[in-house]
Amino acid sequence: MAERTKKLVDILLQEELVTKPRLDEALAEQKLTGAPIQKILVDKGYITSSGLAQALARQLEIPYVKLIGQKIAPQVIKMIPEDIARQYKAIPVKMEGDSLHVAFASPLNLPARDEIKLITGCRISPMAATEKEIEQAIDQYYRVEETSKQALIDMRMQKLKEKKKEKAVTLEEELGRVGDLPVVRLVNDVINGAINAKASDIHFEPQDPEMVVRYRVDGILRDVMTVPKHVELSVISRIKILSNLDITERRLPQDGHISFKKDVKNYDLRVSTLKTVVGEKAVLRVLDKASMLIDLEKLGFTKHDEDIFKSLISKPYGMILVTGPTGSGKTTTLYAVLNQMNAVTDNIVTIENPVEYMLSRINQIQVDPTTKITFAAGLRTILRQDPDKIMVGEIRDRETAEVAVQAALTGHLVLSTLHTNDAAGAVTRAIDMGIEPFLISSTVIGTLAQRLCRMICPECKEEYTPSKKEIESIGLEDLPSGQQLARGRGCDYCYGTGFRGRSAIFEIMKMSDGLRKLILDRAPLLEIKELAIKEGMKTLRENSIRKVLDKVSTIEEVRRVVYMD
């Protein structure tokens, strides 16, 4: 590793891609973090990834290849297993004679070339490419649609053999097939494919004539593949075995859990099964700790709202309510807040249903009705545990709301969620639950409403001039002079959708004396919201328009997630 770094440093200096002081700074950071020197330089903006790849190609006298738009034959891709491709950031490009041309993000990595040579039995001709393009190519070519083809072929061949034998297959025989290699491989490929696609959920849906597998990516479901009807039962049974469920119980819903490891990362999958009129359906929720524990600054706040929110969570006591529909990212926001808090000097306790991720130095409790641990009961116990900050997964009833309010009154910072449409609605919802207005005005220091919108794919992003009708659809009369908007054309990287990743749209209402008076007077929701806007609150609509003007998202997308009236 040290020898590779030295050689890379020599190349960078010889190519005059980076100055000596900047290189020394990056080398010092490498000693502290252990990160690759090229990653540090690219992240700091001292060099570009394409400039680095081209410099390596020149110095090593190997070709530089741009992988975007490159068509690679399936038989070539199969020569290197996915785990090896991801481990070494390498992808096969073409075969010429007995030479396999392989694009490397780090062509100086000789052990990687040796291992790939050993696996393939071919002479390796290295090429240089950017790490980002290699990762995108791996995601594209190792998709579940491609990797599961052989498993599906094997299943169909097995079915043809059975037809020739004209033998009826019993339930017991069908269940016994869950150990068959094609079914095991298929289920593993579907889960691997979901992780590669950054899907939040996997749906195995029985249909007529075949089972449909769908991924939820960036909040939208899309079809991935179909599974033959005759192996539908084996697939569901395999999922049940992995999640320790009863494979003979097909009438009642079941819930389970799968631990799955991929690329040295651990994933948790929550499993739910449900009987439908045409078969048994299974839904797997993919939980990736790295995707949840993100910095507060990366959630999508505007600078104005980020400053307000940081001032709220820095308060020593009071209640902050995060609102929005299911799937709007409320839990992610709360985890980002907890991740920022100092768990060394504070006793931070959470009660959740369920605990999705284990957080270091934070005490987490899971709701369990069988042992009478409800939100309210758990919260009462937490108050006897000398807490400083408390997170309540969700306030669902009056009893939980009352205990949470008491916790805030007695000097604790309480974070929780509600299902309301906007920030002001959190206050009226609490009153509807039976909480006295004077208690709400005394404890709630701020409310936050949020939605998630898809971001334009960076690989196929293009600017355009919108029509007057489009502009008016989000309540604007006109755009600033020369202002253009952006959209995605659709490419392999974004599965043809034009979107990749999501960003949050926020609305933060910070409590003020004027708002407290309205709450005490039981003022209607509209009046509370109007005063909050007058005092500087940026609404969901305003912040969604900002996403469009900043070319983060599109008019159609923000209209899909935010009510624009």
Side-chain angles (χ1 to χ4, degrees):
M1 179 69 77
E3 188 178 338
R4 289 208 303 271
T5 299
K6 184 177 183 302
K7 191 167 183 180
L8 179 60
V9 166
D10 292 340
I11 289 173
L12 292 172
L13 289 174
Q14 192 170 340
E15 288 278 331
E16 297 182 349
L17 282 178
V18 64
T19 62
K20 185 72 166 58
R22 286 183 168 182
L23 198 52
D24 291 340
E25 179 191 335
L27 287 167
E29 184 172 325
Q30 186 190 36
K31 286 182 181 178
L32 293 173
T33 64
I37 185 70
Q38 60 267 37
K39 185 178 188 306
I40 294 171
L41 290 167
V42 171
D43 289 348
K44 286 180 172 292
Y46 293 163
I47 59 174
T48 64
S49 54
S50 59
L52 173 63
Q54 289 174 50
L56 286 169
R58 283 193 298 270
Q59 288 293 317
L60 300 175
E61 297 182 346
I62 61 175
Y64 165 75
V65 60
K66 192 165 180 60
L67 293 172
I68 292 177
Q70 186 87 234
K71 296 297 181 184
I72 306 174
Q75 58 268 29
V76 173
I77 287 292
K78 288 177 184 176
M79 296 190 73
I80 298 181
E82 182 188 352
D83 58 335
I84 296 297
R86 291 189 183 279
Q87 179 183 346
Y88 293 122
K89 299 288 191 295
I91 190 164
V93 177
K94 60 183 177 178
M95 189 80 189
E96 289 183 344
D98 64 345
S99 292
L100 179 63
H101 295 260
V102 181
F104 291 89
S106 180
L108 293 168
N109 190 346
L110 296 180
R113 285 158 63 173
D114 290 341
E115 183 163 350
I116 291 173
K117 179 181 179 181
L118 189 65
I119 290 170
T120 61
C122 299
R123 190 165 64 86
I124 303 302
S125 297
M127 308 171 86
T130 67
E131 183 173 327
K132 182 179 179 182
E133 287 189 9
I134 287 175
E135 288 176 345
Q136 290 175 5
I138 290 172
D139 287 344
Q140 176 185 344
Y141 287 104
Y142 290 95
R143 285 179 186 170
V144 64
E145 298 94 321
E146 300 298 326
T147 56
S148 61
K149 275 180 182 175
Q150 189 57 51
L152 291 171
I153 291 169
D154 292 344
M155 290 174 184
R156 290 190 170 101
M157 290 299 291
Q158 187 177 41
K159 182 66 175 176
L160 288 173
K161 288 177 183 177
E162 287 169 4
K163 280 185 176 179
K164 286 180 181 178
K165 291 178 181 178
E166 296 181 348
K167 177 187 172 184
V169 181
T170 65
L171 173 64
E172 289 75 17
E173 288 172 325
E174 186 69 38
L175 289 173
R177 289 185 190 145
V178 296
D180 288 355
L181 182 60
V183 173
V184 172
R185 194 163 70 238
L186 177 66
V187 173
N188 286 346
D189 286 344
V190 170
I191 295 174
N192 271 310
I195 292 171
N196 292 344
K198 296 179 174 58
S200 60
D201 301 87
I202 310 168
H203 290 239
F204 292 84
E205 301 180 349
Q207 301 289 333
D208 194 10
E210 293 186 312
M211 171 183 271
V212 176
V213 179
R214 300 203 287 171
Y215 290 163
R216 187 178 293 279
V217 180
D218 297 334
I220 303 294
L221 278 169
R222 65 175 183 84
D223 288 358
V224 173
M225 61 186 293
T226 58
V227 176
K229 192 74 175 177
H230 73 275
V231 292
E232 180 181 304
L233 181 59
S234 294
V235 169
I236 295 297
S237 296
R238 174 62 183 166
I239 293 167
K240 287 182 177 180
I241 286 173
L242 287 172
S243 49
N244 294 316
L245 299 179
D246 183 357
I247 63 172
T248 62
E249 177 56 73
R250 301 182 61 202
R251 296 169 301 167
L252 299 176
Q254 296 187 72
D255 294 311
H257 173 269
I258 300 173
S259 292
F260 196 85
K261 190 169 185 178
K262 176 175 166 60
D263 302 332
V264 305
K265 287 177 67 178
N266 292 313
Y267 294 86
D268 289 325
L269 289 87
R270 287 213 312 265
V271 180
S272 173
T273 66
L274 176 69
K275 186 181 185 302
T276 72
V277 292
V278 289
E280 198 169 7
K281 176 182 177 181
V283 176
L284 284 62
R285 167 65 57 89
V286 182
L287 303 175
D288 174 14
K289 187 171 183 177
S291 69
M292 288 288 285
L293 299 183
I294 61 177
D295 295 334
L296 206 59
E297 293 79 6
K298 295 179 180 177
L299 290 176
F301 283 107
T302 62
K303 185 68 173 69
H304 171 267
D305 286 345
E306 185 182 321
D307 290 342
I308 294 174
F309 193 58
K310 283 184 174 179
S311 73
L312 291 176
I313 63 175
S314 65
K315 304 291 184 188
Y317 56 85
M319 182 184 288
I320 300 171
L321 297 173
V322 180
T323 77
T326 301
S328 60
K330 301 186 295 296
T331 304
T332 302
T333 298
L334 289 178
Y335 272 105
V337 172
L338 293 176
N339 203 34
Q340 185 157 312
M341 290 178 172
N342 191 342
V344 176
T345 59
D346 289 334
N347 177 20
I348 302 172
V349 189
T350 76
I351 179 161
E352 308 167 58
N353 184 26
V355 173
E356 294 189 350
Y357 301 103
M358 300 296 293
L359 302 175
S360 177
R361 300 186 71 94
I362 291 178
N363 308 285
Q364 296 169 271
I365 302 169
Q366 183 157 303
V367 169
D368 185 1
T370 60
T371 56
K372 298 183 180 179
I373 299 178
T374 62
F375 277 113
L379 193 47
R380 287 193 184 92
T381 304
I382 288 171
L383 291 175
R384 296 193 289 271
Q385 292 281 316
D386 185 33
D388 294 295
K389 297 176 172 67
I390 302 168
M391 185 190 97
V392 182
E394 185 181 350
I395 294 178
R396 299 179 178 179
D397 51 47
R398 177 176 179 174
E399 185 182 12
T400 306
E402 286 175 342
V403 182
V405 165
Q406 289 302 319
L409 278 173
T410 52
H412 306 94
L413 182 66
V414 179
L415 306 168
S416 192
T417 69
L418 278 175
H419 288 284
T420 62
N421 290 326
D422 54 21
V427 171
T428 55
R429 173 76 179 116
I431 293 173
D432 291 342
M433 280 183 171
I435 307 302
E436 291 295 331
F438 76 89
L439 290 174
I440 296 170
S441 64
S442 302
T443 56
V444 176
I445 58 175
T447 60
L448 178 147
Q450 68 179 79
R451 301 288 190 275
L452 290 177
C453 70
R454 292 179 294 170
M455 296 188 293
I456 300 168
C457 173
E459 299 303 321
C460 59
K461 190 174 188 176
E462 64 177 10
E463 293 189 352
Y464 76 104
T465 302
S467 67
K468 188 171 181 62
K469 187 177 179 181
E470 283 181 283
I471 298 167
E472 290 175 348
S473 71
I474 55 173
L476 292 178
E477 293 182 3
D478 210 344
L479 288 178
S481 178
Q483 171 81 50
Q484 285 195 308
L485 303 183
R487 62 190 173 195
R489 294 187 306 275
C491 63
D492 288 332
Y493 181 54
C494 62
Y495 300 89
T497 63
F499 297 98
R500 184 76 174 186
R502 288 192 289 179
S503 181
I505 303 170
F506 294 103
E507 174 179 285
I508 302 177
M509 186 177 83
K510 186 176 181 180
M511 199 57 67
S512 65
D513 290 340
L515 290 171
R516 289 191 181 94
K517 185 177 185 308
L518 288 180
I519 293 167
L520 286 170
D521 294 341
R522 294 179 182 267
L525 172 62
L526 186 60
E527 199 172 329
I528 294 171
K529 187 168 185 174
E530 284 176 348
L531 179 58
I533 292 171
K534 189 176 179 180
E535 292 180 348
M537 180 181 81
K538 302 296 182 185
T539 64
L540 285 168
R541 177 181 168 276
E542 288 177 279
N543 282 332
S544 65
I545 292 172
R546 176 47 50 196
K547 295 282 185 189
V548 173
L549 296 178
D550 289 343
K551 301 173 184 175
V552 173
S553 193
T554 66
I555 290 175
E556 294 80 5
E557 177 62 13
V558 298
R559 288 185 71 240
R560 183 181 70 85
V561 297
V562 175
Y563 187 57
M564 285 292 184
D565 189 9

